[in-house]
């Protein structure tokens, strides 16, 4: 794991030549002027403000969601998640720069639709979102939507020049969410053999590494997802992160063999957007 600074021009060059692909976390959403939750902790607090949670579920968005699903209803949980992210998230300059760049693949792990908004008006792109198999009647791992927001066959994704992959779902256009413990039990039983990850994602990552922006890896499920999405990719990953890393995060970044850029995200994102 290489730790360095002042790497933005080189990263921009790799994004332009396709050897690096964006992998966005909730920290990128936090750069926008928005009122939606912009961290897993903030989402846990939001859910806790709507439902009286037992002590074991407080502060943990996955456990909170599972409690709501178990003791209220799955439909109630989905409505609450849709309400949490119902307000428009304006695209940041970084979102707009990514849309102009139009990479083959962008992984966006938060539930907002800022990236879709940044791509609005452009052609040749679409989105694949994870679908909760814990939801009654859902048998698919993911759903595909074209640039108009219409659902389509995932096989059409091979024709898109840019694919936005939302591995935890998104509020737009249909409110697909992976959030409860039950959701992840379903996925994690298969993710090691890559079944929940669309074939086109596996193809598009093959010769590229990922630029992790606004991501933290302090929870096992977040590490598992990032590990499996990065699996069999081209490598050469870069993580932009500031602050103290936990031991689990340090171990995970060594496992990824990722270069670490020690810079606060707002400054890095502004500089990168200018370079793109």
């Amino acid at each position: 794991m290489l730790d360095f600074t002042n790497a933005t021009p080189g990263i921009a060059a790799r994004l332009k030549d396709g050897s690096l692909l964006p992998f966005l976390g909730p920290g990128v959403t936090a750069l926008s002027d928005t009122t939606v939750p912009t961290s897993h902790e903030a989402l846990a607090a939001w859910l806790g403000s709507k439902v009286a949670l037992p002590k074991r579920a407080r502060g943990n968005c996955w456990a909170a969601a599972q409690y709501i699903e178990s003791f209220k209803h799955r439909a109630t949980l989905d409505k609450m998640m849709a309400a949490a992210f119902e307000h428009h998230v304006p695209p940041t300059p970084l979102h707009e720069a990514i849309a102009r760049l139009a990479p083959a693949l962008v992984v966006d792990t938060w539930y907002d639709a800022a990236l879709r908004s940044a791509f609005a008006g452009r052609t040749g792109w679409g989105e694949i979102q994870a679908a909760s198999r814990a939801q009654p009647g859902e048998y698919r791992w993911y759903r595909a939507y074209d640039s108009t927001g219409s659902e389509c066959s995932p096989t059409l994704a091979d024709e898109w020049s840019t694919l936005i992959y939302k591995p935890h779902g998104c509020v737009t256009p249909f409110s697909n969410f992976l959030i409860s413990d039950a959701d992840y039990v379903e996925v994690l039983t298969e993710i090691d053999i890559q079944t929940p990850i669309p074939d086109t994602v596996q193809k598009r990552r093959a010769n590229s590494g990922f630029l992790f922006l606004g991501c933290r890896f302090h929870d096992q499920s977040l590490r598992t997802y990032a590990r499996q999405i990065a699996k069999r990719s081209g490598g050469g990953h870069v993580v932009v992160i500031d602050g103290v890393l936990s031991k689990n995060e340090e171990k995970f970044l060594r496992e990824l063999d990722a270069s670490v850029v020690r810079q606060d995200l707002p400054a890095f994102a502004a500089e990168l957007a200018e370079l793109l």
Side-chain angles (χ1 to χ4, degrees):
M1 182 175 69
L2 180 63
D3 195 331
F4 62 100
T5 56
N6 301 321
T8 318
I11 290 171
R14 289 189 61 195
L15 287 168
K16 290 177 180 178
D17 69 21
S19 64
L20 205 59
L21 299 168
F23 191 114
L24 311 181
V28 175
T29 303
L31 300 177
S32 181
D33 182 17
T34 181
T35 58
V36 306
T38 55
S39 70
H40 293 90
E41 292 77 14
L43 179 55
W46 192 93
L47 292 172
S49 72
K50 306 301 179 182
V51 174
L53 298 171
K55 186 175 181 180
R56 59 179 173 77
R58 296 172 195 163
N60 183 308
C61 62
W62 303 283
Q66 186 59 52
Y67 177 83
I68 295 167
E69 181 176 299
S70 299
F71 291 93
K72 301 291 183 179
H73 197 275
R74 177 70 199 199
T76 300
L77 173 60
D78 287 338
K79 288 178 181 178
M80 291 181 66
M81 286 292 294
F85 292 93
E86 67 179 344
H87 295 294
H88 175 65
V89 178
T92 67
L94 179 59
H95 288 113
E96 300 285 4
I98 290 172
R100 290 194 303 271
L101 183 64
L105 173 66
V106 185
V107 180
D108 186 3
T109 64
W110 204 228
Y111 302 103
D112 65 278
L115 194 57
R116 171 172 278 273
S117 296
F119 273 86
R122 300 175 182 272
T123 59
W125 67 276
E127 191 170 37
I128 293 182
Q129 303 176 1
S132 170
R133 283 162 61 102
Q135 183 169 309
E138 184 58 77
Y139 61 92
R140 291 168 290 187
W141 292 110
Y142 45 80
R143 293 172 176 261
Y145 303 92
D146 64 20
S147 59
T148 70
S150 298
E151 187 169 359
C152 61
S153 170
T155 59
L156 295 178
D158 288 336
E159 302 174 9
W160 300 335
S161 55
T162 298
L163 169 66
I164 299 173
Y165 178 42
K166 303 282 281 189
H168 302 277
C170 184
V171 66
T172 302
F174 188 69
S175 294
N176 296 304
F177 301 111
L178 292 193
I179 181 62
S180 70
D181 286 337
D183 290 333
Y184 289 103
V185 166
E186 285 280 339
V187 175
L188 293 178
T189 57
E190 297 282 341
I191 199 168
D192 190 53
I193 57 173
Q194 301 280 285
T195 307
I197 299 176
D199 290 343
T200 187
V201 172
Q202 298 182 46
K203 294 173 185 175
R204 291 168 188 252
R205 72 187 177 188
N207 298 312
S208 304
F210 288 104
L211 171 63
F212 294 91
L213 297 172
C215 303
R216 293 303 297 255
F217 306 104
H218 54 292
D219 183 87
Q220 184 176 353
S221 65
L222 299 178
R223 293 192 296 272
T224 298
Y225 253 81
R227 180 186 297 112
Q228 294 300 330
I229 293 172
K231 192 175 184 178
R232 302 191 187 102
S233 67
H237 309 299
V238 179
V239 178
V240 178
I241 202 162
D242 194 24
V244 179
L245 295 173
S246 69
K247 290 183 179 180
N248 282 333
E249 286 179 307
E250 290 180 349
K251 180 180 178 181
F252 175 66
L253 296 182
R254 285 195 297 271
E255 177 188 328
L256 282 183
D257 194 24
S259 299
V260 178
V261 177
R262 292 286 190 172
Q263 188 173 348
D264 71 283
L265 184 60
F268 179 88
E271 183 180 2
L272 183 61
E274 286 290 331
L275 291 172
L276 296 178

